[in-house]
């Protein structure tokens, strides 16, 4: 099926679904984040914003316009309608409808209207979508109470969260803004109050909201803001004037066009997938929701590690359940997530030796005060172990660092200092385990003996503390653990602080130690990854802010493009990978043209590349949905700031040597350089074999 056929197919399916009145989930399965046709937009928006299941009270409006600020409301409504260019005979009735919507919402929520709320920027796209007054009210109410932060004045929770998000993904940029005393409310307030409606053109906002409402994620505005900041990091880092930086950032969204919106949202999804999900539960109620909701953080209280209020949090929290799910040594991170954790246990040595996660690395935080040089050396050695574990795709580890303490602020006086030390070195993906070891211990009950390494009930400080508590009607599960022999005491040498990595690391411990010695004696060693660039067909090939990509390498001498689509073959993945013709495979997500990500595998064979799509609920099977010959690959490109987003471009070579691109695939591949390097080697090998065959003729 060609791209044009696929485009026509989904449009016909959408029109039929809207005609039949299908539910929102069925609609989203058709639209999949695509930009919507104008004639269908208002119906899809209405469904995505709860119109199909929400009862509107707009009919109860008393049509009495008597609010103290009524004249301001009317003037703002007149300005909105004037900017839309409606016919003169329609303007009066439209102004009346908009004023009714705003007035009724203020009365029903007991709110005082203010132009600074930027409701006009929210109403303008809704009016442009030609919603009826009743539907206009439903959509306006849902946007305000689901997608717009309840508080957006300086110091509000949404800005603290945005800072934590930037600190997690780009600590250098975050630290630079902090050094200039620039807070997110100084540049992001118009973005979060209007969902970019006040800073982008109307066409751009309409396309952006198409994807936004289909996403159904209130935090999506924070990830869109993150994309803007990261893409401008070089310009921001080069500035030393606070005023200049703020002016630069504020102006960044304005040039975006409607064509940029899909890629803009794709990059936001990329960051969302690479962020631990605990924040959604922790911060949802403190940031979003009706004005009737309380502003509590919904956590366990400030005394629990990783549960500080947003304004005081040093970095993002990770719940024990999320940490355990993604660090199990028996599996890789779930297909729906790009987050895998490298666990760093910062408790004292005696606590660590009496129970810890099997894949945890130990870093004694007390070294920060007792032996600073030893702590710095241990920290650098740990970074080496982390990098090697990630490069080796070691099960139970990932690129994201999660620090584990005892579990309460009183037990972890130095834990935040360790996190701060990492962030000062611009270490990305640093988080704190909420509840620390206590939370992990609680989440694993009653299986702590089998799930924790070296667990000793007699000396484990959680078990001992539970045993000392007065008996309760429900006895503690941890007190029922069977006794185990005491763990042997570790030596006091530096290397023994890394001796209890986990069962999955022990086999490599000697090699890690040798490399750690080499690092300590040769700290200036090469830390660069393997180069992906092989050759450039066009060094001047550049792209725009979101849609373009720098050329990685190009093969332009090959034969005609070859691919097969339309025929789907279901295979047992283990059988496919065992075939003699299969060389290797890479877990990935296929990124469709609408930005949606589908769990998949790229399988490299001697003949080409297979795209195998994962089947929900059947992890052992996959559908081969595309087969690409090596000769059809014209270019492989990546975005400079998002190297894991890879685009394969396919086509043919004309007689004059010019490559004609006819199709493309985009993938999100962890450690993508390994995949592109493998494909490049296959292409070059095929080229060499063809040249040798020609020479022998």
């Amino acid at each position: 099926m060609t791209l044009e056929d696929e485009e026509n197919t989904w449009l016909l399916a959408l029109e039929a679904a809207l005609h039949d009145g299908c539910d929102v989930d069925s609609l989203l399965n058709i639209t999949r984040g695509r930009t919507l046709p104008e004639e269908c937009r208002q119906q899809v928006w209405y469904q995505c914003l709860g119109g199909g299941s929400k009862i509107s009270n707009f009919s109860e409006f008393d049509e009495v316009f008597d609010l103290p600020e009524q004249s301001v409301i009317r003037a703002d409504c007149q300005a909105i309608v004037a900017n839309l260019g409606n016919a003169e005979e329609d303007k009066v009735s439209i102004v009346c409808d908009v004023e009714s919507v705003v007035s009724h919402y203020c009365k029903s929520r007991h709110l005082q209207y203010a132009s600074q709320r930027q409701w006009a920027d929210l109403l303008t796209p809704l009016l442009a979508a030609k919603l009826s007054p009743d539907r206009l009210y439903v959509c306006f109410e849902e946007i305000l109470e689901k997608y717009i932060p309840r508080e957006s004045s300086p110091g509000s929770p949404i800005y603290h969260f945005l800072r934590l998000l930037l600190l997690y993904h780009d600590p250098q940029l975050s630290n630079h803004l902090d050094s200039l005393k620039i807070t997110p409310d100084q540049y992001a307030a118009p973005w979060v109050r209007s969902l970019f409606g006040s800073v982008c053109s109307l066409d751009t906002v309409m396309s952006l909201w198409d994807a936004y409402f289909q996403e159904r994620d209130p935090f999506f505005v924070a990830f869109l803001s993150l994309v803007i900041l990261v893409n401008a990091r070089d310009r921001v880092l080069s500035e030393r004037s606070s005023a200049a930086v703020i002016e630069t950032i504020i102006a960044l969204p304005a040039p975006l066009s409607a064509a940029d919106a899909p890629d803009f949202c794709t990059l936001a999804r990329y960051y969302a997938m690479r962020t631990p999900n605990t924040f959604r539960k922790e911060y949802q109620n403190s940031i979003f929701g009706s004005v009737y909701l309380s502003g509590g953080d919904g956590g366990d209280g400030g005394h629990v590690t990783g549960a500080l209020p947003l304004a005081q949090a040093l970095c993002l929290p990770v719940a024990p359940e999320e940490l355990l799910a993604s660090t199990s040594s028996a599996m890789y991170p779930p297909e729906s997530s790009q987050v895998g954790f490298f666990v760093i246990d910062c408790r004292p040595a005696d606590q660590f030796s009496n129970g810890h996660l099997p894949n945890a690395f130990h870093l004694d935080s007390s070294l920060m005060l007792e032996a600073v040089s030893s702590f710095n050396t241990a920290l650098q050695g740990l970074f080496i172990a982390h990098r090697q574990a990630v490069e080796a795709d070691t099960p139970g580890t990932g690129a994201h660092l999660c620090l584990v303490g005892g579990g309460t602020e009183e037990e972890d006086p130095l834990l935040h200092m360790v996190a701060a030390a990492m962030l000062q070195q611009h270490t990305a993906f640093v988080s704190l385990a909420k509840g620390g070891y206590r939370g992990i211990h609680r989440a694993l009950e009653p299986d702590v003996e089998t799930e924790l390494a070296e667990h000793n009930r007699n000396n484990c400080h959680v078990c001992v503390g539970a045993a000392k508590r007065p008996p309760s009607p429900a006895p503690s599960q941890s007190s029922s653990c069977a006794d185990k022999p005491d763990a042997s005491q570790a030596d006091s040498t530096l290397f023994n602080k890394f001796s209890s990595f986990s069962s999955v690391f022990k086999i490599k411990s000697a090699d890690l130690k040798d490399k750690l010695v080499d690092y300590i004696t040769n700290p200036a060693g090469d830390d660069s990854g393997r180069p992906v660039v092989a050759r450039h067909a066009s060094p001047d090939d550049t792209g725009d802010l979101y849609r373009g990509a720098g050329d990685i390498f190009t093969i332009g001498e090959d034969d005609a493009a070859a691919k097969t689509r339309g025929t789907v073959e279901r295979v047992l993945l283990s059988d496919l990978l065992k075939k003699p013709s299969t060389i290797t495979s890479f877990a990935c997500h296929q990124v469709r043209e609408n930005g949606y990500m589908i769990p998949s595998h790229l399988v490299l064979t001697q003949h080409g590349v297979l795209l195998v799509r994962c089947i929900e609920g059947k992890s052992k099977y996959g559908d081969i949905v595309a087969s690409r010959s090596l000769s059809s690959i014209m270019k492989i490109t990546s975005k400079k700031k998002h190297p894991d987003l890879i685009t394969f471009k396919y086509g043919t070579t004309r007689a004059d040597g010019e490559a004609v691109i006819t199709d493309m695939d985009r993938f999100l591949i962890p450690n993508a350089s390994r995949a592109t390097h493998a494909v490049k080697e296959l292409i070059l090998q095929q080229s060499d074999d063809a040249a040798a065959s020609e020479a022998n003729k």
Side-chain angles (χ1 to χ4, degrees):
M1 181 184 294
T2 66
L3 293 176
E4 183 177 357
D5 291 338
E6 185 174 353
E7 182 75 10
N8 292 333
T9 299
W10 84 265
L11 288 174
L12 292 173
L14 176 60
E15 291 174 359
L18 291 173
H19 180 270
D20 295 339
C22 71
D23 58 39
V24 65
D25 291 330
S26 300
L27 277 179
L28 294 177
N29 193 43
I30 297 171
T31 58
R32 293 184 176 274
R34 295 180 175 95
T35 299
L36 302 170
E38 186 175 348
E39 62 272 15
C40 300
R41 176 171 283 139
Q42 63 100 353
Q43 291 178 273
V44 177
W45 282 13
Y46 180 68
Q47 290 290 333
C48 290
L49 292 170
S53 58
K54 193 171 183 177
I55 300 175
S56 170
N57 65 354
F58 184 62
S59 59
E60 301 173 5
F61 179 49
D62 57 13
E63 299 187 12
V64 176
F65 302 93
D66 57 354
L67 291 171
E69 58 279 3
Q70 198 69 52
S71 60
V72 179
I73 295 175
R74 183 165 298 135
D76 286 351
C77 293
Q78 290 171 344
I80 295 171
V81 176
N83 291 332
L84 289 174
N86 298 96
E88 289 297 328
E89 59 270 20
D90 296 332
K91 286 185 178 181
V92 175
S93 62
I94 297 175
V95 169
C96 183
D97 290 339
V98 179
E99 187 175 356
S100 298
V101 167
V102 174
S103 300
H104 181 57
Y105 186 80
C106 288
K107 286 187 174 184
S108 63
R109 296 298 188 271
H110 307 289
L111 291 174
Q112 182 177 0
Y113 179 82
S115 299
Q116 292 79 3
R117 294 180 184 273
Q118 297 186 251
W119 289 358
D121 297 309
L122 298 174
L123 287 163
T124 299
L126 296 177
L127 289 170
K130 298 180 174 58
L131 289 158
S132 64
D134 189 67
R135 291 192 170 193
L136 176 66
Y137 182 83
V138 170
C139 294
F140 177 65
E141 181 183 58
E142 185 72 3
I143 291 173
L144 283 178
E145 299 189 352
K146 181 176 180 179
Y147 295 105
I148 303 300
R150 192 166 52 252
E151 301 175 23
S152 58
S153 57
S156 296
I158 182 62
Y159 304 123
H160 294 299
F161 172 69
L162 181 53
R163 180 187 172 277
L164 288 181
L165 197 61
L166 180 61
L167 185 66
Y168 189 80
H169 289 279
D170 196 333
Q172 182 181 8
L173 181 57
S174 179
N175 291 341
H176 179 67
L177 293 175
D178 287 346
S179 70
L180 296 176
K181 294 182 170 53
I182 298 175
T183 55
D185 56 86
Q186 294 175 273
Y187 55 82
W191 307 349
V192 302
R193 288 173 181 165
S194 67
L195 302 184
F196 295 93
S198 65
V199 293
C200 295
S201 68
L202 181 58
D203 287 343
T204 302
V205 174
M206 301 290 277
S207 296
L208 182 61
W209 283 15
D210 284 342
Y212 204 110
F213 297 146
Q214 293 176 63
E215 198 69 26
R216 297 196 290 183
D217 178 9
F219 287 97
F220 203 55
V221 68
F223 290 102
L224 290 170
S225 302
L226 178 65
V227 170
I228 291 174
L229 293 170
V230 172
N231 274 270
R233 76 184 308 273
D234 294 339
R235 293 167 59 187
V236 173
L237 290 174
S238 64
E239 289 282 358
R240 292 296 180 267
S241 166
S242 298
V245 169
I246 294 172
E247 183 180 355
T248 296
I249 296 176
I250 288 176
L252 291 172
L256 290 174
S257 67
D260 292 319
D263 277 354
F264 188 22
C265 292
T266 295
L267 292 176
R269 294 187 193 102
Y270 168 85
Y271 281 107
M273 291 183 66
R274 293 168 65 85
T275 305
N277 276 314
T278 298
F279 73 85
R280 297 183 183 278
K281 179 180 179 181
E282 292 297 304
Y283 302 146
Q284 174 93 28
N285 288 340
S286 65
I287 298 177
F288 299 99
S290 168
V291 293
Y292 296 129
L293 294 178
S294 65
D297 279 330
D300 294 331
H303 66 285
V304 177
T305 301
L308 289 173
L310 256 172
Q312 302 174 34
L314 177 65
C315 49
L316 290 177
V318 175
E321 294 77 13
E322 182 174 10
L323 180 63
L324 294 170
S326 61
T327 57
S328 170
S329 60
M331 61 179 290
Y332 288 92
E335 291 286 0
S336 60
S337 171
Q338 289 293 321
V339 178
F341 292 104
F342 184 89
V343 181
I344 304 173
D345 198 317
C346 299
R347 295 176 296 145
D350 59 330
Q351 293 187 19
F352 180 82
S353 63
N354 285 293
H356 56 85
L357 285 174
N359 53 353
F361 282 62
H362 185 225
L363 178 67
D364 193 342
S365 59
S366 64
L367 287 175
M368 289 197 74
L369 297 181
E370 298 170 1
V372 176
S373 60
S374 296
F375 172 80
N376 291 332
T377 303
L379 186 60
Q380 295 306 316
L382 191 140
F383 287 154
I384 293 175
H386 173 226
R387 185 173 66 250
Q388 292 171 348
V390 171
E391 289 175 351
D393 286 333
T394 305
T397 66
H400 299 250
L401 304 172
C402 187
L403 306 185
V404 176
T408 66
E409 297 299 330
E410 293 77 13
E411 290 178 299
D412 302 320
L414 300 177
L415 181 65
H416 288 84
M417 293 179 63
V418 175
M422 292 182 173
L423 294 172
Q424 286 172 359
Q425 297 185 39
H426 301 158
T427 305
F429 308 142
V430 176
S431 61
L432 291 178
K434 183 184 178 184
Y437 176 74
R438 288 181 181 275
I440 293 169
H441 195 288
R442 189 183 307 116
L444 290 174
E445 292 173 354
D447 302 317
V448 289
E449 289 294 343
T450 56
E451 297 297 330
L452 291 177
E454 300 180 306
H455 184 257
N456 182 348
R457 182 176 68 87
N458 294 327
N459 293 325
C460 169
H461 72 284
V462 176
C463 293
V464 171
K468 290 180 179 179
R469 288 198 299 266
S472 60
S476 171
Q477 296 285 0
S478 60
S479 63
S480 64
C481 300
D483 289 342
K484 288 185 69 176
D486 287 351
S488 59
Q489 296 299 316
D491 295 336
S492 59
T493 62
L494 169 64
F495 291 132
N496 277 323
K497 294 184 182 297
F498 295 92
S499 62
S500 298
F501 291 162
S502 73
S503 57
V504 297
F505 296 128
K506 286 178 180 177
I507 194 170
K508 299 183 179 181
S509 61
D511 183 48
L512 289 175
K513 292 176 183 178
D514 290 342
K515 292 180 179 179
L516 178 57
V517 170
D518 179 67
Y519 174 81
I520 295 172
T521 57
N522 181 28
D526 184 13
D527 188 31
S528 60
R530 288 175 295 177
V532 178
V533 180
R535 49 180 166 163
H536 293 264
S538 176
D540 297 324
D541 183 15
T542 59
D544 56 52
L545 183 61
Y546 295 109
R547 302 186 67 81
D551 191 15
I552 294 183
F553 67 89
T554 302
I555 304 297
E557 308 89 338
D558 301 304
D559 298 326
K563 70 168 185 174
T564 60
R565 281 192 184 271
T567 303
V568 176
E569 177 186 358
R570 181 155 297 185
V571 295
L572 186 64
L573 290 175
S574 58
D575 289 349
L576 176 63
L577 299 180
K578 290 177 183 177
K579 284 187 175 182
S581 60
T582 299
I583 298 173
T584 187
S585 67
F586 300 92
C588 65
H589 282 74
Q590 182 190 16
V591 183
R592 302 301 301 274
E593 69 278 358
N594 53 33
Y596 267 54
M597 301 188 187
I598 305 173
S600 307
H601 295 273
L602 274 184
V603 180
L604 273 61
T605 72
Q606 295 174 355
H607 312 294
V609 180
L610 301 178
L611 173 57
V612 183
R613 187 169 296 168
C614 298
I615 304 171
E616 186 175 357
K618 297 182 179 180
S619 59
K620 295 182 179 180
Y621 292 87
D623 287 337
I624 300 178
V625 297
S627 175
R628 306 282 193 176
S629 72
L630 296 175
S631 61
S632 71
I633 301 175
M634 296 289 105
K635 288 185 178 182
I636 301 179
T637 62
S638 73
K639 295 182 181 293
K640 180 180 178 181
K641 294 185 174 65
H642 312 283
D644 289 349
L645 274 175
I646 305 298
T647 300
F648 286 70
K649 297 182 180 180
Y650 314 99
T652 59
T653 304
R654 296 196 314 207
D656 59 4
E658 182 179 352
V660 179
I661 304 301
T662 58
D663 205 352
M664 60 183 287
D665 286 323
R666 183 182 292 176
F667 302 98
L668 176 61
I669 311 176
N671 300 319
S673 60
R674 298 176 59 199
T676 55
H677 181 77
V679 175
K680 180 200 72 172
E681 291 297 324
L682 277 176
I683 293 174
L684 295 179
Q685 180 181 341
Q686 184 186 71
S687 179
D688 292 342
D689 291 345
S693 176
E694 186 68 23
N696 292 331
K697 289 183 179 179

